[in-house]
């Protein structure tokens, strides 16, 4: 994730409800039947915004926070104090990442309700959460060696492998599928599912025309550029192409005057401007990448084209995935070429 907007002088977005951010365990009303909750997260992200929607016979929760005891306690307090004696009747997860799905399994079991997700994200979440620490696959090692990882860095990958599921309460065996364009009746209102690609396989956003708002998850963050990464699970993917076309499609599809409810940071207006800024940021990064590759570079050598701040231990893996995503996009556009050396390391240069 790259914080790009705050480093520019001009910010075209209008932030809303900034002084009404709820403390953990409390709710802020945003519109009729729409409530904002914030759950704590460790690290730089600090929090995730999740949403409580009044539904026909109870409540729908959108995204859950991590599978951690303090987050559970905040939910228990909300269940006791903020549901008007009505049950939670469904949980929607916008996408597979642990801050969004962490307590989905636990909440559905507590209330005997169903989990609603996109198909790709449900299954990918299950598969990734099932990886154990001893399962490090040899082709994943080859993938990171190809990117330029040292043996020491590969050892660190082996050590951290199998951690994806650590912050996710086991998902239920079955789920309800959300597909592109599907209308969901939530509390007598139509909410339309719009699916974005690139940050997650099928990231669900929920748009309510009547209330003029959209739940944007990580697809529509105001300042952070979401991580768009190539992973060992699909080593030749071009997720940046998918991300850029999703941004352009959202801009065509959605009206400009929406309140955006993002998963992190502040609520805002200016969705078209934000989508344009996201596209521009990656296009500029691709040009910088091209300039940097006048001499052959490995994926781990091109961080300066993409990131202004120094890459730390914890950001090294997502930075590598993001670099490869940009390299693959540049390769498909025939801006760059690639050659593999005798050690299986890929060297990228101007085409
Ligand atoms: Zn995410």
């Amino acid at each position: 994730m790259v914080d790009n907007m705050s480093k520019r002088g001009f910010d075209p977005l209008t932030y809303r409800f900034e002084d009404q951010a709820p403390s953990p365990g409390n709710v802020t009303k945003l519109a009729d039947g729409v409530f904002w909750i914030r759950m704590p997260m460790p690290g730089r992200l600090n929090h995730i915004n999740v949403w409580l929607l009044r539904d026909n016979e109870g409540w729908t929760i959108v995204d859950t926070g991590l599978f951690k005891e303090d987050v559970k306690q905040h939910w228990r307090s909300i269940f006791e104090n903020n549901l008007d004696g009505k049950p939670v009747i469904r949980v929607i997860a916008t996408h597979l990442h642990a801050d969004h799905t962490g307590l989905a399994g636990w909440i559905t079991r507590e209330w005997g309700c169903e989990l609603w997700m996109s198909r790709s994200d449900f299954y990918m979440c299950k598969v990734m959460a099932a990886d154990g620490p001893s399962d490090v696959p040899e082709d994943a090692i080859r993938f990171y060696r190809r990117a330029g990882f040292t043996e020491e860095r590969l050892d660190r990958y082996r050590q951290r492998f199998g951690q994806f599921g650590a912050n996710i309460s086991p998902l239920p065996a079955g789920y309800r599928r959300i597909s592109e364009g599907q209308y969901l009746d939530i509390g007598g209102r139509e909410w339309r599912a719009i699916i974005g690609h690139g940050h997650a396989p099928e990231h669900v956003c929920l748009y309510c025309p009547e209330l003029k708002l959209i739940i944007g998850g990580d697809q529509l963050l105001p300042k952070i550029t979401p991580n768009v990464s190539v992973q060992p699970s699909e080593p030749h993917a071009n997720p940046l192409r998918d991300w850029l076309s999703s941004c352009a499609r959202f801009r065509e599809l959605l009206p400009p005057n929406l309140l955006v409810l993002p998963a992190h940071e502040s609520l805002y207006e200016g969705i078209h401007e934000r989508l344009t800024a996201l596209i521009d940021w990656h296009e500029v990064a691709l040009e910088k990448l091209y300039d940097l590759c006048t001499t052959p570079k490995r994926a781990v050598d091109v961080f300066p084209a993409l990131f202004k701040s120094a890459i730390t231990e914890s950001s090294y893996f997502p930075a590598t995935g993001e670099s490869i995503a940009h390299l693959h996009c540049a390769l498909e556009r025939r801006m760059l070429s690639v050659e593999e050396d005798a050690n299986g390391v890929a060297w990228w240069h101007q085409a």
Side-chain angles (χ1 to χ4, degrees):
M1 300 230 185
V2 188
D3 184 343
N4 57 17
M5 193 61 85
S6 59
K7 296 198 174 75
R8 297 180 178 188
F10 173 67
D11 184 345
L13 306 185
T14 307
Y15 298 100
R16 299 281 315 276
F17 295 94
E18 274 202 294
D19 53 356
Q20 293 175 58
S23 56
N26 289 297
V27 306
T28 295
K29 183 177 176 179
L30 298 172
D32 181 34
V34 179
F35 299 86
W36 176 17
I37 297 167
R38 245 184 192 180
M39 291 299 183
M41 275 181 71
R44 213 166 57 90
L45 278 179
N46 176 266
H47 66 264
I48 175 169
N49 300 319
V50 303
W51 317 99
L52 185 62
L53 307 177
R54 193 184 303 115
D55 208 337
N56 295 318
E57 284 109 34
W59 297 91
T60 283
I61 288 170
V62 183
D63 288 340
T64 70
L66 296 168
F67 178 33
K68 287 190 177 292
E69 200 47 47
D70 58 337
V71 183
K72 262 191 192 177
Q73 289 306 333
H74 295 314
W75 275 121
R76 284 202 180 96
S77 143
I78 287 162
F79 295 162
E80 263 172 46
N81 303 313
N82 300 96
L83 301 189
D84 305 330
K86 300 250 175 68
V88 176
I89 60 168
R90 84 179 123 193
V91 176
I92 297 174
T94 55
H95 65 295
L96 80 167
H97 295 144
D99 44 340
H100 303 261
T101 55
L103 283 172
W106 176 73
I107 297 173
T108 57
R109 282 185 289 277
E110 287 281 299
W111 290 97
C113 64
E114 288 175 309
L115 170 62
W116 294 54
M117 283 180 80
S118 68
R119 180 187 274 169
S120 302
D121 281 56
F122 177 76
Y123 285 111
M124 190 160 185
C125 189
K126 282 218 153 208
V127 166
M128 288 180 70
D131 275 336
S134 57
D135 304 335
V136 191
E138 200 41 50
D139 61 334
I141 297 293
R142 268 202 307 279
F143 173 84
Y144 285 111
R145 185 171 281 130
R146 187 173 191 269
F149 273 28
T150 59
E151 288 307 314
E152 188 196 358
R153 193 67 72 177
L154 288 171
D155 275 341
R156 242 166 278 166
Y157 173 71
R158 289 184 184 96
Q159 283 154 22
R160 57 177 269 160
F161 188 83
Q163 293 300 306
F164 180 83
N167 288 312
I168 301 177
S169 158
L171 293 185
Y175 79 115
R176 288 277 284 260
R177 183 181 177 192
I178 300 179
S179 307
E180 169 63 34
Q182 183 178 341
Y183 279 103
L184 283 76
D185 173 351
I186 303 177
R189 285 197 182 90
E190 279 188 345
W191 289 72
R192 186 176 171 190
I194 301 178
I195 290 185
H197 309 278
H199 172 67
E202 290 183 292
H203 183 302
V204 174
C205 296
L206 292 170
Y207 164 44
C208 182
E210 187 186 330
L211 295 174
K212 292 192 169 54
L213 53 81
I214 183 165
I215 294 176
D218 284 353
Q219 194 78 29
L220 296 168
L221 300 176
K223 287 185 177 145
I224 297 167
T225 305
N227 183 265
V228 174
S229 269
V230 179
Q231 313 269 358
S233 55
E234 199 180 332
H236 299 288
N238 184 355
L240 185 56
R241 177 194 55 205
D242 301 340
W243 174 258
L244 291 170
S245 56
S246 289
C247 288
R249 195 173 70 84
F250 274 52
R251 198 173 48 186
E252 274 176 28
L253 211 62
L254 294 165
N257 58 337
L258 295 180
L259 176 66
V260 182
L261 280 47
H264 307 284
E265 308 174 301
S266 297
L267 286 60
Y268 67 95
E269 288 167 0
I271 184 170
H272 283 198
E273 289 80 358
R274 182 56 185 144
L275 288 164
T276 300
L278 283 164
I279 293 168
D280 289 350
W281 185 84
H282 288 289
E283 292 294 344
V284 169
L286 286 165
E287 281 166 27
K288 287 185 188 165
L289 190 63
Y290 177 80
D291 291 341
L292 197 64
C293 290
T294 42
T295 55
K297 298 283 186 302
R298 304 165 304 176
V300 297
D301 300 325
V302 302
F303 298 158
L306 303 177
F307 311 107
K308 285 198 174 95
S309 47
I311 297 305
T312 60
E313 194 52 49
S314 64
S315 60
Y316 200 89
F317 283 88
T320 302
E322 183 120 24
S323 293
I324 300 171
H326 284 80
L327 290 165
H328 285 187
C329 189
L331 179 70
E332 196 173 276
R333 291 185 184 186
R334 297 167 191 264
M335 295 163 73
L336 297 180
S337 300
V338 60
E339 263 119 55
E340 232 171 76
D341 69 17
N343 300 314
V345 178
W347 293 87
W348 301 81
H349 55 87
Q350 291 178 356

